Amino acid sequence: IDSALHELTPNRKLMRKIVLGFTGLLSFLIITSFASAQNHFYVASTGSNANDGLSLASPKATINAALTAAVAGDIIHVTPGTYTEKISINKQGIKLISTDGAAVTFINPSTAAGVGTVSVVSGINNVTIGESGKGFTITGFDGSGSVETGAIYLIGAHQNIRIEGNN
């Protein structure tokens, strides 16, 4: 009996090390998944920029207000309506999509300075503007003639820019 009990002891130590290692790995994965979780911001023409924008019940009123609140990698959902503003995406990995598509979600240029109705700042990568069935109708504007302008304008160099489902 003593020899059988003695044989189990190293196996128990090994099992304990495996369980502790697995527990540590699981804790690390849980913590990092919370740290890298994406926020979803919502925009509605009936919203208020004083809202947190984190649900359809408390949407922001403008896309720019949602962009200001967002951090890299967040998703901005825009509900049907007409949004008159120039949008400058200046955070990595932003995803800008409509909830109901280009036929009912419009972005028109404001009189604010800028080169595009929607522009992506130089060096900003992994940006998505629209998806199949979740795009926008984006109206460009005429510049002064000395500066290029457009509906969607990519300033400088970028990688992994996705523009889909827009008119």
Side-chain angles (χ1 to χ4, degrees), residues 5 11 18 31-32 36 74 102 114-115 145:
L5 186 59
N11 289 338
I18 290 171
I31 289 168
T32 56
S36 64
D74 284 351
V115 292

Side-chain angles (χ1 to χ4, degrees), residues 125-150:
N125 301 312
N126 305 309
V127 170
T128 299
I129 302 169
E131 287 184 338
S132 180
K134 294 186 177 206
F136 303 89
T137 296
I138 303 172
T139 304
F141 61 97
D142 293 328
S144 64
S146 62
V147 177
E148 290 181 359
T149 59

